[in-house]
Amino acid sequence: LLIYTDLDGTLLDHDSYDTSATASLRQQLKQLGVPVVWNTSKTAAELESLRLSLEHTDPYIVENGAALYFPDESTQQPKMTFGPGHDHIMTCLEGVRRQFRFKGFHDMSVAEVAAATGLDEGDAALAKQRQFSEPLTWQDSPGKMSDFLAAMADCGLHVLRGGRFVHILGEFNKATPMAWLNDYYATQWDATVDTVALGDSQNDIAMLQAADRAYLIRSPAHVTPQINGQANIRIAKGYGPEGWAEAMAAEVDALMT
Ligand code: 2M8
Ligand code: MG
Ligand code: MG
C-alpha cells in the first residue's frame, strides 16, 4: 500500500494548520511500513520544518507536482522536476499584467501572505520561496478567466485551483510524479503497488483519479469539487484531518484483515 496525500485542508486543518487528529493513524501507517507521500502545493522551503515536526521520512512532492524529493538524500536537490521554473511564470504574468487584475505571492509582502493564508510570518516567508509555481488571488471578473487561461496556455502554462488560491504552473499536476514513484516502489518491493490518494481541492483531482482508491476530503471553507462518475473516489464524512483519519482507519482495517 502506498498513500499520496495533500496537506492543506487534508492532512492539515484549513484554518489552524493543526494535524493532531491524524497523529495516531500516521503512527500506525509508519509501523506497518506504508509510505505516506506528501503531495502538496507548498514549497520545498515550507516542508523543511514541517517534515521535522511531523517526523516525515517518506518522499514528498512540492508545488502541485512540480518536483519530487527524497528526504534521505544528502543534498536537498529534487530527485526530479517536471516543469518550467518560477522565472518563466513571472515573465509570462508580467506580460499580461495590464490586461488582467490579479495579485500573486510575488507581489505580496510577507505580512500580506500571512494575512491571506493564516500562516505566521515565518511560514509565509517560506511560502513565498516559489521555484515552479505562482499562487495568486484573482481580482478580475470571472468572465475574464477564459482569456487569462488562453494567455497562460500561450506560455505553456496552466491554472489549478487550491483551497484559497489560483496556481499558475507548467503542464503538469499532482498526478505527474506518481507514475515514476509507483514504478520506484514496485521495483523496491518487487510487487505491484496499491495506491490511495487524499485531497480536498480541484488541484487534487488528477491525483485522486490516478490512484486505485481515493478519498475526497471535505472543507469547511470551500465547496467540494465535482467528481462525476469517478467510481474510485469516495467522499470522506469528516472535514479536513478528521476525514483523513477516518479514511486511513478504513485502509488500515482492510490491510489487517
Ligand atoms: C497555498 O496553497 C493552498 C493549497 O490548497 C491554496 O491554494 O489555498 C500554497 O501557496 C502554499 O504554499 C501555502 O502554504 C498555502 C497556505 O494555505 O497556500
Ligand atoms: Mg488542499
Ligand atoms: Mg495542497
Side-chain angles (χ1 to χ4, degrees):
L1 185 63
L2 174 58
I3 314 283
Y4 289 94
T5 185
D6 171 47
L7 296 182
D8 298 299
T10 299
L11 188 73
L12 311 176
D13 180 82
H14 179 81
D15 294 304
S16 67
Y17 300 98
D18 183 73
T19 193
S20 51
T22 68
S24 131
L25 264 307
R26 283 189 285 111
Q27 192 57 37
Q28 288 179 53
L29 289 164
K30 193 171 265 188
Q31 276 159 8
L32 290 165
V34 176
V36 178
V37 175
W38 288 357
N39 198 348
T40 177
S41 40
K42 288 187 184 295
T43 62
E46 287 179 276
L47 296 190
E48 286 309 302
S49 60
L50 202 58
R51 279 171 45 221
L52 292 177
S53 62
L54 298 184
E55 296 176 354
H56 182 80
T57 51
D58 293 318
Y60 54 99
I61 296 160
V62 305
E63 297 192 50
N64 282 308
L68 168 67
Y69 286 78
F70 276 65
D72 50 338
E73 296 195 346
S74 51
T75 66
Q76 276 316 308
Q77 294 304 309
K79 183 91 179 164
M80 304 185 78
T81 63
F82 299 92
H86 188 250
D87 286 353
H88 172 70
I89 297 169
M90 290 317 300
T91 303
C92 182
L93 285 173
E94 290 314 325
V96 298
R97 179 80 68 188
R98 273 184 223 88
Q99 280 164 266
F100 308 101
R101 275 179 296 128
F102 58 83
K103 195 164 189 181
F105 274 26
H106 187 81
D107 309 317
M108 298 183 204
S109 65
V110 168
E112 284 175 303
V113 172
T117 57
L119 295 172
D120 65 34
E121 293 207 358
D123 287 335
L126 299 174
K128 272 171 64 69
Q129 293 183 26
R130 316 303 304 186
Q131 301 184 88
F132 305 101
S133 66
E134 178 69 357
L136 51 86
T137 50
W138 182 251
Q139 300 177 329
D140 219 320
S141 69
K144 286 180 77 176
M145 187 45 104
S146 62
D147 285 347
F148 181 70
L149 298 184
M152 293 300 104
D154 285 344
C155 303
L157 301 176
H158 84 305
V159 179
L160 290 173
R161 195 170 291 276
R164 290 185 173 82
F165 303 102
V166 156
H167 297 257
I168 316 303
L169 65 171
E171 285 300 339
F172 57 85
N173 57 45
K174 288 188 178 191
T176 311
M178 287 170 71
W180 189 90
L181 202 52
N182 290 345
D183 282 350
Y184 169 86
Y185 279 107
T187 306
Q188 292 278 305
W189 295 341
D190 196 18
T192 54
V193 293
D194 181 33
T195 58
V196 171
L198 306 96
D200 70 309
S201 298
Q202 187 243 338
N203 60 335
D204 296 309
I205 297 298
M207 165 178 72
L208 303 185
Q209 287 172 339
D212 292 309
R213 286 182 302 294
Y215 299 88
L216 184 55
I217 302 296
R218 298 199 293 165
S219 167
H222 61 79
V223 293
T224 303
Q226 291 293 314
I227 37 150
N228 301 321
Q230 290 289 319
N232 70 322
I233 306 178
R234 64 192 85 167
I235 301 178
K237 241 189 282 121
Y239 288 78
E242 265 139 40
W244 191 97
E246 159 204 322
M248 290 299 94
E251 289 295 331
V252 167
D253 276 354
L255 207 60
M256 309 294 264
T257 51

